[in-house]
Amino acid sequence: MDVKVEIRSMEADDGLGWGSSLQVPSVQEMVRIDSQTVPERYIRESKDRPVIDGLCPISSEIPVIDFSLLANRDKEEQQKLHFASKEWGFFQIINHGVAEDLLHRMKAAAAAFFDLPLEEKMKYSMAEKDIQGYGQVFVVSENQKLDWNDLSFLMTYPPESRNLKYWPLTLLGFKETLEEYSTEISKFSEDILANLSLLMGMEENSLKDFHKVVRLGMRMNYYPPCSKPDLVLGLSPHSDGGTITVLLQDDDITGLQIKHQGEWIPVKPLHGAFVVNIGDAIEIWSNGTYKSVEHRAVTHATKARISVATFVTPHDEAEMGPVQPMLLNHPAMYRRIKCVDYARQYLNRELNGKHIDIVKLDDKS
Ligand SMILES: O=C(O)CCC(=O)C(=O)O
Ligand SMILES: [Fe+2]
């Protein structure tokens, strides 16, 4: 197969100043041209290959939290949030109050974008020095294994953070839907942060203060079907670098797997729920009490899967480092680092497990 479709424009733009990634082919286009061949660059070493088993029973153990109770600061529900963040780093949230119609429109907007012809999508390609737009991130060498995934990454909130040159404004309703969705996710995330602040022995607004305003980056993921799903990964193992991530996904395909007690556990979608996970920033602020857990995505033999991950991202100038109440009975487990420095280091490398070790302090120090 000889597919030379590079998804990157040559426009010079420093963008967010967080990093950049090398050019890669569109996997969706490769599969459209030849759905059977899996190029060598996508085939994982034996030890990294996934077990495709959407029916693993333990999946049902992932905590489910009722947001309507958390919003009322219900103590029992807060304890569930505490347990989930400590033991799993992941939970599904029901009764979040975001209208089902909006969730449906958000998924449809992402699907409509990936449905566009390649030439059209390429108009929104990442610029050379940015990670916003259509393309791929975390590609730093010509030799590394690639994910079976195409993505578009957009800053969506607050409104002034949007760079509309990466937004397909010709798609009817795309902009309005993302605006509406990101406004809802900003309110939802603020409330989760308020509950986590209280659980960490702080004022309700303390975690929010690290953001000034809650800042959202949205990664729309498209995982094409793969004829050999047991040889590839849709998304390499990683933990998310920000505060929390809110994931919206298709109901009918299990693609997300999380590392729990040394095993990869599939997260079976719960209709209408968000999957929320703790990012590295919360692990560091909580001095390791709450866990930013490794996760990955696997592919499906015949179906494409779309997910929409919204990353809550701290203010560039804020500091990551354990907060005072979490240091009362424990030594600091992480050194302090400015959020923008962490983001730059996080983004300019191959995605390969947890990155947090770069700020971990030796147990004895
Ligand atoms: O597609 C998924 O389920 C996972 C997405 C994810 O982990 C990410 O975009 O960081
Ligand atoms: Fe992730």
Side-chain angles (χ1 to χ4, degrees):
M1 189 170 47
D2 181 27
V3 184
K4 291 207 165 46
V5 216
E6 309 283 50
I7 43 179
R8 165 85 62 93
S9 77
M10 284 296 118
E11 203 173 336
D13 187 336
D14 280 348
L16 294 166
W18 288 347
S20 62
S21 174
L22 295 177
Q23 303 170 13
V24 291
S26 156
V27 184
Q28 186 180 9
E29 192 64 7
M30 281 187 340
V31 171
R32 192 184 67 76
I33 293 167
D34 172 359
S35 64
Q36 293 310 305
T37 308
V38 177
E40 185 59 34
R41 224 179 149 190
Y42 295 84
I43 298 181
R44 300 283 166 156
E45 286 176 36
S46 309
K47 67 176 177 36
D48 298 329
R49 291 180 190 166
V51 176
I52 309 289
D53 177 12
L55 295 173
C56 181
I58 201 164
S59 173
S60 58
E61 286 178 31
I62 290 163
V64 177
I65 293 176
D66 185 333
F67 181 75
S68 66
L69 298 174
L70 272 190
N72 289 320
R73 308 289 178 260
D74 181 277
K75 292 274 178 294
E76 218 173 292
E77 212 61 16
Q78 284 181 332
Q79 280 314 304
K80 283 195 199 168
L81 176 65
H82 170 74
F83 174 82
S85 306
K86 192 165 177 280
E87 303 298 330
W88 288 84
F90 266 83
F91 38 94
Q92 303 226 41
I93 295 252
I94 55 168
N95 295 331
H96 45 62
V98 183
E100 199 161 336
D101 166 64
L102 179 56
L103 303 186
H104 178 77
R105 281 187 288 127
M106 182 58 239
K107 288 190 228 180
F113 173 71
F114 289 109
D115 262 359
L116 291 171
L118 182 68
E119 300 70 44
E120 192 58 29
K121 284 187 291 238
M122 284 176 64
K123 293 181 185 163
Y124 312 104
S125 295
M126 280 173 200
E128 203 177 345
K129 290 188 187 152
D130 204 358
I131 54 154
Q132 279 199 90
Y134 174 58
Q136 194 49 264
V137 284
F138 300 110
V139 185
V140 293
S141 107
E142 299 294 340
N143 305 320
Q144 81 186 65
K145 293 293 178 190
L146 297 178
D147 292 339
W148 200 258
N149 165 286
D150 292 344
L151 67 90
S152 172
F153 180 77
L154 302 172
M155 293 307 293
T156 57
Y157 197 88
E160 56 275 19
S161 69
R162 295 173 188 149
N163 187 342
L164 294 182
K165 81 175 185 187
Y166 297 115
W167 293 45
L169 299 179
T170 49
L171 267 183
L172 207 65
F174 184 93
K175 178 167 177 279
E176 293 72 17
T177 300
L178 265 67
E179 283 171 353
E180 220 181 301
Y181 182 74
S182 58
T183 304
E184 290 298 308
I185 298 297
S186 73
K187 288 188 266 181
F188 167 81
S189 310
E190 273 189 25
D191 218 87
I192 299 283
L193 293 191
N195 278 283
L196 287 170
S197 299
L198 294 171
L199 286 170
M200 285 162 63
M202 302 188 290
E203 301 286 327
E204 269 201 26
N205 273 337
S206 302
L207 283 175
K208 189 187 162 206
D209 289 345
F210 289 122
H211 301 73
K212 297 212 163 95
V213 286
V214 162
R215 191 165 54 152
L216 305 179
M218 174 189 279
R219 176 175 161 149
M220 296 187 290
N221 289 302
Y222 184 88
Y223 304 100
C226 182
S227 60
K228 299 185 182 65
D230 49 338
L231 297 186
V232 308
L233 284 174
L235 182 53
S236 302
H238 66 284
S239 64
D240 294 342
T243 307
I244 56 169
T245 305
V246 182
L247 186 81
L248 176 66
Q249 56 173 338
D250 286 334
D251 286 341
D252 55 338
I253 309 173
T254 300
L256 174 64
Q257 297 188 337
I258 68 175
K259 193 101 173 252
H260 182 68
Q261 295 176 351
E263 276 192 275
W264 287 108
I265 303 206
V267 178
K268 201 168 180 326
L270 202 57
H271 176 74
F274 288 132
V275 174
V276 175
N277 62 291
I278 298 294
D280 293 348
I282 294 273
E283 175 166 330
I284 295 169
W285 285 322
S286 72
N287 200 24
T289 295
Y290 298 142
K291 308 291 186 310
S292 168
V293 160
E294 244 184 283
H295 51 287
R296 68 184 185 183
V298 299
T299 60
H300 191 278
T302 56
K303 293 185 197 164
R305 170 172 177 263
I306 288 179
S307 70
V308 178
T310 302
F311 305 103
V312 177
T313 309
H315 191 272
D316 279 353
E317 297 304 316
E319 201 182 54
M320 287 192 206
V323 297
Q324 271 314 314
M326 302 306 280
L327 286 168
L328 287 179
N329 302 311
H330 305 278
M333 287 178 61
Y334 309 89
R335 71 178 166 86
R336 298 185 175 276
I337 184 167
K338 209 158 72 162
C339 290
V340 68
D341 294 332
Y342 192 80
R344 285 191 183 129
Q345 293 184 40
Y346 178 91
L347 283 159
N348 291 290
R349 49 140 200 160
E350 182 176 348
L351 198 60
N352 182 11
K354 286 193 75 162
H355 185 56
I356 208 164
D357 290 347
I358 64 155
V359 290
K360 236 183 194 153
L361 293 170
D362 193 314
D363 278 350
K364 292 176 212 73
S365 60

